[in-house]
Amino acid sequence: MTVISARGLVKRYGDLAAVDGIDFEVPAGESFGLLGPNGAGKSTTMRMVGAVSARTAGDLTVLGLDPDTHGPEIRAQLGVVPQEDNLDLELRARDNLVVYGRYFGISRAECLRRADELLAFAQLEDKATAKVDDLSGGMKRRLTIARALINTPRVLMLDEPTTGLDPQARHVLWDRLFRLKERGTTLVLTTHYMDEAEQLCDRLIVVDHGRIMAEGSPAELIRRYSTREVVELRFGTDRNADAGARLESAADRVEVLPDRVLLYTDDGERLLEHVAREGMRPTTSLVRRSSLEDVFLRLTGRSLIE
Amino acid sequence: MTSTRTTGDARGPEVRRQSAVRALYAGNARAVLGRELAATRSTTWTVILSGFFEPVFYLLAMGKGLGAFIGDVTLPSGQVVSYAAFIAPGLLAVSAMNGAVYDSTWNVFFKMNMGGRLFQSMLTTSIGPLDVALGEIAFALLRGGAYAAAFLVIMQVLGLVLSPWALLAVPAVLLIAFGFASIGMAITSYMTTIQQMDVINTVLLPMFLFSATFYPITVYPEPVQWVVKAFPLWHAVELIRGLTTGALSGAMLGHLTYFVVMIAVGITFTAKRLRALFLD
């Protein structure tokens, strides 16, 4: 069953097209990602799907309903984790869940029962009566996710779920999201972290300037748009461009970034040996597997995080 | 590309109107009111009490203190009342206004623009802008109503309630608070900076001083009287004064109408604006 279907979706603000005609479908149970740099139109797309922003043109159905005419019905079945936490600072952690559940018209008794369950899921049982301001960034994020689950949504929408969190907090969060995915919750998330997309997404679209650049599973995209391995060499800011030019023929593709040269190849070690034979002495060298970052660079000529 | 939108709109005006109402109102304003009550548990009670004491202090200082020099006042009906009994209903109206305005302006401004953007999170649920507006206004009314009831008790104790009609002052005060809260929230929803919020105080203070609160409107030349009569507080003061002194008149229906219109206008604009801000 298709949960979200967008065709020719457009959102314009005056002359600016924040979303410029995108098509995608999300089947139930899938974990679907929108990967792109800041300002690519990811959040705007999320807001349209979340029925809090009207589309300018195109077709959009969410859970079989049109957000233009069935906004409240759609919102009742979605869980939304916005980019910036907007927890209720005047309420304690547990009350945040209960009060939010009441907005959906869920009975108080049921809200209380679910709140305890969700606090346990978010590993926040001992923070039930804590003030929101006293929680760490990771805890706030988990509380926001718990809050988004209070109406047992059919789709959980997460906008940049781990931006601003430290590595450990990110892993705790990923683990929780992975559990939801295992339970069959449909996840739709935006991110500009390729490791996050690789961890969580079954399938994703790469978005830039409001358009879709590519679509597929992380592995597919890497296979299609990049080589198996990447050699990263640093020669120093002034010499990177020259080195890149010299190695043009040795690699499948060369990208010269301000701070390093990326050489795309299927055999990184062999390429490194070639570099050594040429008598070139990079200050650092690294062979790694291709990531979605490389896919994005290939597709747009820019890196994700600038 | 817009053609697909046109087919969407072609379902007929009936369907569109229905969905327009549903998009604005989920019939769940009590959840918003419930949130406010839950949040009140963490507010400082001194703030809430200060709002009650302000008009009481005015009543004691002006009514009892200044009143000793002023003596009695003759109402348009010919009835002669003490100065304290003259200004007490005015202060009652003012306390209703203050309670309602405080909750519907400053508190609403903070909920809209800072402190975690409360309205934004509310409107990602199935709740609509009209639920938010009504819930917030209901909360403002609770406070305004509580102030009014307590103030009436003080008036009774001081012997300033001159008519059994004064009992109707409680629902009248709720209507007045409803009007001020609706307009207050509507105006606030259009404000984007704290500096703009100062406009509200700029309007409230002169309205408080000049709306025939402390002396009859007849001291003004006629053109000035018309200006005063354009503002809501004058209608509120006259309505309450009529009830607590027992000087009923047909003009009171006009005052009631003024507030009914004020409520309708306020709520319409608030819901429209919240929808434009958070759902478009």
Side-chain angles (χ1 to χ4, degrees):
Chain A
M1 197 205 122
T2 304
V3 179
I4 303 168
S5 162
R7 269 208 312 278
L9 190 59
V10 173
K11 177 75 181 189
R12 260 191 292 274
Y13 296 103
D15 284 340
L16 176 85
V19 174
D20 197 7
I22 68 174
D23 304 72
F24 63 88
E25 290 211 345
V26 182
E30 189 178 61
S31 180
F32 180 79
L34 291 89
L35 178 75
N38 290 328
K42 293 170 298 179
S43 297
T44 309
T45 305
M46 292 289 263
R47 286 173 48 74
M48 285 190 281
V49 173
V52 290
S53 175
R55 61 188 187 273
T56 312
D59 284 328
L60 178 65
T61 57
V62 181
L63 299 161
L65 302 169
D66 182 340
D68 271 1
T69 50
H70 293 78
E73 288 85 346
I74 291 171
R75 290 195 296 274
Q77 302 178 70
L78 297 182
V80 177
V81 179
Q83 193 165 346
E84 283 169 49
D85 289 321
N86 57 5
L87 291 162
D88 196 327
L89 303 178
E90 288 180 278
L91 302 178
R92 311 223 164 215
R94 188 164 180 263
D95 289 341
N96 254 283
L97 304 184
V98 176
V99 165
Y100 199 76
R102 298 284 294 143
Y103 297 152
F104 289 102
I106 302 164
S107 77
R108 168 162 293 277
E110 180 63 15
C111 287
L112 286 167
R113 196 185 64 71
R114 289 188 197 176
D116 287 333
E117 218 174 86
L118 288 168
L119 283 173
F121 172 74
Q123 298 167 309
L124 292 168
E125 296 111 312
D126 52 338
K127 298 287 177 189
T129 57
K131 287 185 180 167
V132 170
D133 272 332
D134 295 339
L135 301 177
S136 72
M139 289 176 182
K140 278 184 197 163
R141 214 73 189 124
R142 297 206 301 274
L143 185 60
T144 308
I145 291 174
R147 188 184 69 173
L149 294 170
I150 194 89
N151 57 327
T152 50
R154 291 172 64 190
V155 183
L156 182 62
M157 318 248 307
L158 304 119
D159 198 354
E160 305 274 351
T162 65
T163 298
L165 298 187
D166 62 54
Q168 200 201 342
R170 295 180 77 198
H171 281 282
V172 175
L173 205 82
W174 284 345
D175 167 60
R176 294 295 105 180
L177 294 177
F178 208 80
R179 273 164 209 248
L180 287 176
K181 190 165 132 49
E182 281 177 335
R183 285 189 209 165
T185 311
T186 308
L187 300 182
V188 178
L189 62 119
T190 74
T191 182
H192 61 253
Y193 296 122
M194 58 273 169
D195 53 348
E196 185 157 279
E198 280 165 0
Q199 286 260 352
L200 293 175
C201 301
D202 301 324
R203 197 163 58 87
L204 54 94
I205 51 177
V206 180
V207 190
D208 194 31
H209 298 304
R211 290 171 183 273
I212 294 178
M213 312 295 294
E215 179 186 339
S217 73
E220 264 169 32
L221 288 171
I222 291 167
R223 216 178 306 127
R224 203 180 323 149
Y225 294 101
S226 193
T227 52
R228 207 168 71 88
E229 294 187 328
V230 188
V231 178
E232 292 199 11
L233 303 175
R234 291 171 198 262
F235 292 95
T237 321
D238 322 327
R239 292 183 292 140
N240 282 339
D242 282 348
R246 265 183 74 184
L247 292 166
E248 198 81 53
S249 56
D252 289 9
R253 197 164 60 85
V254 176
E255 290 279 355
V256 179
L257 302 182
D259 61 332
R260 67 208 138 120
V261 181
L262 302 182
L263 304 168
Y264 290 92
T265 176
D266 283 325
D267 190 341
E269 287 304 327
R270 242 180 70 191
L271 187 66
L272 262 191
E273 283 163 20
H274 172 81
V275 171
R277 271 202 307 278
E278 288 283 305
M280 299 170 77
R281 296 271 174 276
T283 49
T284 65
S285 60
L286 163 78
V287 179
R288 60 168 175 82
R289 296 187 51 188
S290 272
S291 74
L292 288 171
E293 173 84 39
D294 301 297
V295 172
F296 190 77
L297 190 65
R298 167 76 188 277
L299 290 170
T300 67
R302 291 180 295 119
S303 36
L304 271 169
I305 304 165
E306 286 165 328
Chain B
M1 283 221 192
T2 34
S3 64
T4 46
R5 294 303 300 276
T6 325
T7 40
D9 291 349
R11 274 161 298 196
E14 203 46 48
V15 177
R16 281 181 54 75
R17 201 171 310 128
Q18 262 182 17
S19 64
V21 172
R22 218 177 32 193
L24 286 176
Y25 185 53
N28 193 10
R30 69 185 174 284
V32 178
L33 178 61
R35 184 266 161 201
E36 292 306 330
L37 294 173
T40 305
R41 275 181 242 145
S42 66
T43 47
T44 37
W45 282 90
T46 44
V47 177
I48 293 178
L49 285 179
S50 73
F52 162 71
F53 279 113
E54 199 182 286
V56 175
F57 290 154
Y58 269 106
L59 180 61
L60 294 176
M62 321 265 302
K64 290 291 172 187
L66 204 57
F69 292 94
I70 293 172
D72 294 339
V73 180
T74 309
L75 297 179
S77 61
Q79 195 182 348
V80 177
V81 300
S82 74
Y83 184 64
F86 178 79
I87 66 165
L91 291 168
L92 178 57
V94 168
S95 85
M97 173 179 86
N98 282 344
V101 166
Y102 185 80
D103 274 321
S104 66
T105 59
W106 283 102
N107 279 354
V108 163
F109 183 79
F110 283 109
K111 282 169 202 162
M112 270 179 49
N113 299 291
M114 6 195 123
R117 284 178 248 153
L118 181 69
F119 290 171
Q120 191 195 47
S121 71
M122 282 180 176
L123 291 170
T124 53
T125 71
S126 44
I127 231 164
L130 195 55
D131 299 278
V132 175
L134 290 175
E136 291 292 336
I137 289 167
F139 180 65
L141 279 191
L142 277 184
R143 186 149 145 176
Y147 286 169
F151 194 83
L152 260 182
V153 171
I154 305 256
M155 282 175 67
Q156 176 69 41
V157 170
L158 294 178
L160 303 177
V161 173
L162 308 176
S163 155
W165 286 106
L167 274 181
L168 284 182
V170 174
V173 158
L174 287 177
L175 182 77
I176 290 163
F178 199 166
F180 277 109
S182 311
I183 287 288
M185 189 163 176
I187 292 170
T188 303
S189 66
Y190 285 87
M191 306 252 173
T192 49
T193 67
I194 279 230
Q195 286 75 21
Q196 292 172 329
M197 292 295 290
D198 284 335
V199 173
I200 291 168
N201 290 353
T202 320
V203 176
L204 284 185
L205 185 66
M207 198 157 70
F208 166 55
L209 292 173
F210 300 120
S211 293
T213 332
F214 296 108
Y215 40 81
I217 194 168
T218 45
V219 301
Y220 298 125
E222 195 164 324
V224 179
Q225 289 191 20
W226 284 108
V227 174
V228 171
K229 287 177 179 178
F231 284 92
L233 187 58
W234 179 76
H235 296 272
V237 170
E238 286 300 302
L239 181 61
I240 303 289
R241 188 171 283 149
L243 290 169
T244 63
T245 58
L248 305 187
S249 78
M252 289 163 84
L253 288 177
H255 303 319
L256 287 175
T257 312
Y258 188 102
F259 280 97
V260 170
V261 172
M262 195 167 159
I263 290 164
V265 170
I267 287 190
T268 308
F269 277 92
T270 304
K272 265 191 181 171
R273 176 66 176 164
L274 289 183
R275 178 160 199 204
L277 278 178
F278 298 109
L279 294 175
D280 261 333

